Amino acid sequence: MKGMMIPTRPVTRPVAAVALACCVLLAGAACSADNKGPQVSPTLTSQPNSSESGTGTPESTTTATDSASGSPSASADPGGSPSAGPSPAATALSWKTYTDPAKTVSFELPEDWIAQSLTPEAGSLPGAVKVEVKDGAGKYVATLQTGLPTSAPAACPAGQSRPYVVISSVPLDIPHSDGPDTIDPRVVFRVIQGYKFFGSYGITNVVAGSDGQSCELRNRVQGPAGRGDYSFADVPAIHAFAADEKVAPAKAFDTLDLAAKYAAHGSDFANVQRMLLSLKVNS
């Protein structure tokens, strides 16, 4: 069953990615507290940044905000790490709003993109929604799911975790539940280190790992009691893929610098980020 597509007038406010430069190629300096995650160089060496080490809450101190008046910038940390400038604004000139028939969720997307309602996953709660988004050329972009049953993260055996970097993290205002392993909801783009740097964008309020290391980065928000969880992402979770695993629709980069440039300068990511930030979930 397809949802209702309601055109809206164009919106041109920029949306920012946050805190890029401090994590990109600085082998000896700590990252800013605005970009919590380990420090990883393109030569496949890594160390956790000083602000995260020992906290076990990698994204908990991010402070960027989405402002209608402009794009936020990350400030340099006391150690002298460079500050990141604003990301490019979304390039799509005309946007529309998708709303499901029951009006439980809505989000904006470029006028030529397609949002198609699908059958929710088996085991989803009553009233659950699943929507697949493709761009104007029919290329997959992301999937929105609501009413997901609560699930435990994948097991992470000792010695199997990998360094990861939070390249972009922007607050998202949606209903959620709090717990010992949660943070405030964010729209994030994160990279985990394997034989390449594997990246994924999505929404989350789940703590990714400890000491800058993780086996899996989950794109999931724990919803209020009885409502189930939400996911709006390219993939439900990202991990360090093996050489014989299919990576797509997650991203793979040869260097961390390329991953950071994708978020800082890519119009595709800017449009996706604005779409994710526009998500509204009715209480």
Side-chain angles (χ1 to χ4, degrees):
M1 174 170 57
K2 294 186 177 180
M4 177 171 60
M5 313 295 286
I6 304 174
T8 59
R9 63 182 181 182
V11 181
T12 58
R13 65 180 172 90
V15 179
V18 264
L20 301 172
C22 69
C23 280
V24 176
L25 299 177
L26 300 177
C31 290
S32 166
D34 289 298
N35 183 24
K36 305 204 72 181
Q39 187 173 351
V40 186
S41 76
T43 57
L44 300 185
T45 60
S46 65
Q47 59 185 15
N49 71 49
S50 59
S51 63
E52 181 182 64
S53 182
T55 65
T57 54
E59 297 95 52
S60 61
T61 64
T62 44
T63 58
T65 57
D66 177 32
S67 170
S69 61
S71 301
S73 300
S75 58
D77 71 353
S81 297
S83 61
S87 67
T91 57
L93 298 179
S94 182
W95 290 70
K96 60 190 176 185
T97 300
Y98 172 90
T99 304
D100 72 297
K103 295 181 171 52
T104 60
V105 295
S106 66
F107 60 89
E108 298 175 358
L109 67 163
E111 185 66 43
D112 64 340
W113 287 16
I114 302 164
Q116 182 176 11
S117 179
L118 303 176
T119 302
E121 300 294 326
S124 296
L125 278 60
V129 171
K130 182 176 182 180
V131 182
E132 185 176 88
V133 179
K134 295 180 180 179
D135 66 15
K139 181 180 177 182
Y140 171 82
V141 176
T143 299
L144 167 65
Q145 298 185 78
T146 69
L148 294 170
T150 301
S151 64
C156 190
Q160 297 300 307
S161 61
R162 304 292 296 171
Y164 73 94
V165 174
V166 182
I167 288 182
S168 173
S169 179
V170 182
L172 174 66
D173 184 16
I174 57 173
H176 63 282
S177 62
D178 297 317
D181 296 320
T182 64
I183 57 175
D184 290 336
R186 323 286 299 182
V187 170
V188 296
F189 178 63
R190 298 175 293 186
V191 174
I192 191 166
Q193 177 188 347
Y195 72 92
K196 288 190 175 184
F197 295 88
F198 301 104
S200 174
Y201 50 72
I203 66 174
T204 190
N205 78 329
V206 180
V207 171
S210 178
D211 294 341
Q213 304 274 326
S214 182
C215 285
E216 179 184 70
L217 310 178
R218 305 179 81 197
N219 293 318
R220 194 180 187 100
V221 170
Q222 294 182 5
R227 295 287 303 278
D229 295 350
Y230 320 130
S231 177
F232 198 7
D234 51 2
V235 292
I238 187 80
H239 63 275
F241 291 88
D244 59 351
E245 283 187 278
K246 179 182 176 181
V247 175
K251 307 288 187 291
F253 304 93
D254 289 332
T255 68
L256 184 59
D257 187 36
L258 291 175
K261 287 178 179 177
Y262 165 77
H265 305 296
S267 60
D268 288 346
F269 176 72
N271 288 330
V272 168
Q273 186 185 57
R274 171 177 162 174
M275 179 181 73
L276 299 180
L277 284 168
S278 73
L279 177 63
K280 303 296 181 186
V281 178
N282 294 329
S283 302

